[in-house]
Amino acid sequence: MRNWPVHDLRLTTPRLTLRLPSLDDLDELADRAVEGVHEPDRMPFGVPWTDAPAAELPARVVLYHLGVMSRWRPEEWCCNFAVVHEGRVIGTQDVKGIDFAVTREVHTGSWLGRAYQGKGLGTEMRAAVLHLAFAGLGALSAASSAFLDNPASLAVSRKLGYRPDGVMVQSIRGRRATQQRLRLDREDFDCPVPVEIHGLAACLPHFGLG
């Protein structure tokens, strides 16, 4: 796209392509959400979006991602990448920055369809956006968090070199839940997979960078 080059930004790893979602990608992403993201008796998300009625969930997924793209500003942006594996959208991985030109810090979040969990894909897709942040955008730190009863997410963070950064408590489904905050400094990140970044140069002003 001539007027929105961020939509042509691509990250590729040995098994994955990460791209801002097309409308067709959003339809597939909504299908993955309906198929299931986690066990019904658990809620791994700070905003329990998967508790929406099944008939409403697909449209909510689509509208959420369209809203994220529509609110993009150089001072506050979020790359809500669709994650593609073997030609199929399998989940989403985001990386976001607020006043990034000053803070040089990003935050990440993600989810995968249940059929694609436990295969190392979660590590690969987060490694891809961390490489974009550190090598492509010049970030100095990355932050994330996960509930204490979400060992898979915490394991990904450990593999990638994050360190504990305190905890926070919130109410989820009417119960007390504790999130572990995590932080990764640029010098501690050793990317475990090769990552290629395509089309970044034209996007830099949209990230608040020269």
Side-chain angles (χ1 to χ4, degrees):
M1 291 185 67
R2 290 180 294 104
N3 295 304
W4 183 237
V6 181
H7 208 273
D8 297 323
L9 180 63
R10 297 286 186 275
L11 310 179
T12 57
T13 71
R15 295 186 290 174
L16 304 174
T17 297
L18 280 70
R19 64 193 184 210
L20 260 65
S22 67
L23 297 181
D24 287 340
D25 290 339
L26 290 179
D27 265 344
E28 281 200 65
L29 192 62
D31 291 342
R32 298 295 87 75
V34 171
E35 291 164 4
V37 181
H38 57 83
E39 298 171 0
D41 61 342
R42 294 181 55 249
M43 176 46 66
F45 304 118
V47 176
W49 60 271
T50 52
D51 281 347
E56 299 177 12
L57 182 58
R60 289 192 183 187
V61 170
V62 171
L63 291 173
Y64 169 77
H65 283 272
L66 290 175
V68 168
M69 288 187 280
S70 74
R71 291 189 294 272
W72 186 299
R73 296 182 293 118
E75 300 82 18
E76 186 171 348
W77 49 261
C78 177
C79 275
N80 56 321
F81 290 113
V83 180
V84 181
H85 173 58
E86 297 179 345
R88 186 178 178 91
V89 175
I90 63 171
T92 181
Q93 172 72 63
D94 71 36
V95 57
K96 64 188 73 173
I98 299 175
D99 294 325
F100 177 77
V102 177
T103 67
R104 297 288 171 163
E105 179 167 284
V106 298
H107 296 251
T108 63
S110 65
W111 62 262
L112 272 174
R114 288 186 69 184
Y116 302 94
Q117 296 173 13
K119 305 176 188 295
L121 298 171
T123 300
E124 197 163 320
M125 64 200 220
R126 198 183 327 168
V129 296
L130 290 172
H131 180 77
L132 169 65
F134 291 130
L137 300 175
L140 298 178
S141 57
S144 187
S145 64
F147 287 106
L148 297 182
D149 64 352
N150 189 354
S153 179
L154 293 169
V156 168
S157 296
R158 284 195 298 271
K159 288 178 189 176
L160 293 172
Y162 286 80
R163 297 178 181 177
D165 190 36
V167 298
M168 52 187 175
V169 176
Q170 63 187 103
S171 173
I172 297 294
R173 289 178 171 173
R175 297 180 180 179
R176 176 187 170 99
T178 302
Q179 284 207 55
Q180 174 70 63
R181 292 199 303 258
L182 300 151
R183 179 170 298 278
L184 175 63
D185 293 327
R186 182 177 186 171
E187 58 269 23
D188 295 326
F189 179 58
D190 183 13
C191 196
V193 293
V195 180
E196 294 185 4
I197 305 172
H198 310 270
L200 178 60
C203 303
L204 292 177
H206 297 285
F207 289 96
L209 303 173

